[in-house]
Amino acid sequence: MNLKGQVAIVTGGARGIGKAISHRLAQDGAHLVISDVNLEEARQTAQEIAMGDVKCLAVEVNVTDGKAVAEMADRAIKEFGRIDILINNAGITRDGLLLRMKEEDWDLVLNVNLKGAFHCAKSVLPAMSKQRRGRIVSIASVVGVMGNAGQSNYAASKAALIGFTKSVAREYASRGITANAVAPGFIDTAMTRDLSAEVRDGLMKQIPLGRLGTPQDIAHAVRFLVSEEAGYITGQVIHVNGGMLMI
Ligand code: NDP
């Protein structure tokens, strides 16, 4: 399980699930590009991670900005000479019942969660194609498969991200590039910490394993999908949800 010398870009890598994924990949020797809208936090995470042979670059990138994303890929190539792994992790919620949902909240969620992945994949695929090897993992959600009242924008973005992943998998398989998704259930991060005790209790009842997931639970699945051993797996969705959805 060695990623020594490989280069990984993690979007939204400053905190939460992205941070856990960055730590996990660095543990196995990958150099990291931690990209986030919050440069200060990305720098702190990069400082925590960089050690020994592992180099870590923090960059300020909003994934909705195609030009900034392309510059990030150029910078990764300039610093490290290659890009092996892309983790499309940056994501947001703007919840609301459909009739009350503002058009701007629909657009923003689709732009970050879906179009962001489009910009990022488009920017790294030329380098991966040249190398004839690459791994793209997108962080979807259980909600993208089940739906969720109050999250029509978010669920639509994550369901679409799965369709996008399968299409990239088919388009780039012949170049040795795999594309897969990890669909977390409810994970204990800033995104879920604001839920009321009542909602949390309700959620817990739906999870056979009886706890929220940790960012590390997701990082382990991602780590497997980027490994050599997962080379025959593409276009798949790995569900990491404590059993709340079984398909
Ligand atoms: P967090 O909000 O904790 O972290 C997300 C990170 O992405 C933050 O650092 C955030 O920056 C950054 N970010 C937000 N918007 C952008 C953008 N436009 N461009 C670049 N970076 C951005 O979320 P989680 O760690 O919980 O979620 C990570 C992924 O996992 C998301 O895609 C989410 O949808 C998915 N997920 C999470 C679940 C959960 O229960 N937590 C469940 C299922 C899926 P800032 O701090 O400045 O906002």
Side-chain angles (χ1 to χ4, degrees):
M1 301 282 273
N2 199 342
L3 300 177
K4 200 169 169 29
Q6 293 195 31
V7 177
I9 296 177
V10 181
T11 68
R15 67 179 167 109
I17 293 172
K19 181 175 179 177
I21 293 170
S22 301
H23 270 283
R24 187 67 192 84
L25 301 185
Q27 250 175 34
D28 283 302
H31 301 304
L32 263 297
V33 177
I34 299 194
S35 100
D36 207 287
V37 274
N38 186 336
L39 182 60
E40 204 34 57
E41 220 167 341
R43 280 196 176 129
Q44 277 171 23
T45 301
Q47 267 170 17
E48 277 174 34
I49 288 177
M51 70 177 89
D53 287 343
V54 171
K55 293 190 193 124
C56 201
L57 180 70
V59 288
E60 182 177 358
V61 178
N62 186 326
V63 292
T64 63
D65 179 348
K67 191 164 166 273
V69 169
E71 282 166 9
M72 166 185 76
D74 289 346
R75 187 137 175 238
I77 295 284
K78 213 166 150 205
E79 295 274 337
F80 299 117
R82 54 189 298 119
I83 301 170
D84 301 280
I85 298 165
L86 166 67
I87 312 297
N88 284 317
N89 167 78
I92 58 164
T93 52
R94 291 291 181 278
D95 297 350
L97 295 172
L98 183 55
L99 286 186
R100 286 196 214 130
M101 188 174 286
K102 293 193 197 112
E103 189 176 343
E104 67 207 51
D105 285 340
W106 175 272
D107 287 344
L108 184 61
V109 168
L110 268 289
N111 268 335
V112 175
N113 298 6
L114 181 60
K115 202 171 182 186
F118 157 76
H119 286 315
C120 292
K122 215 173 151 185
S123 297
V124 302
L125 279 164
M128 289 181 178
S129 296
K130 254 192 235 156
Q131 292 161 199
R132 299 260 148 197
R133 190 194 178 281
R135 296 275 191 267
I136 298 177
V137 180
S138 296
I139 308 302
S141 169
V142 68
V143 161
V145 181
M146 288 174 69
N148 199 19
Q151 288 198 306
S152 57
N153 50 358
Y154 183 75
S157 73
K158 295 299 187 177
L161 188 58
I162 290 172
F164 173 72
T165 298
K166 291 179 180 180
S167 303
V168 173
R170 288 187 187 275
E171 250 179 73
Y172 284 88
S174 62
R175 320 237 171 112
I177 298 166
T178 66
N180 292 287
V182 171
F186 286 92
I187 308 301
D188 193 9
T189 68
M191 202 178 251
T192 48
R193 224 157 275 155
D194 291 341
L195 298 174
S196 68
E198 198 188 346
V199 173
R200 269 174 104 90
D201 289 350
L203 276 175
M204 219 67 96
K205 288 194 187 112
Q206 298 174 46
I207 305 173
L209 285 176
R211 64 169 176 88
L212 295 191
T214 64
Q216 289 72 27
D217 289 325
I218 307 307
H220 292 312
V222 170
R223 171 65 187 92
F224 169 64
L225 285 172
V226 304
S227 69
E228 265 327 294
E229 291 81 349
Y232 198 54
I233 300 174
T234 197
Q236 305 303 314
V237 183
I238 306 241
H239 289 270
V240 184
N241 59 34
M244 72 177 280
L245 175 75
M246 300 185 187
I247 49 171

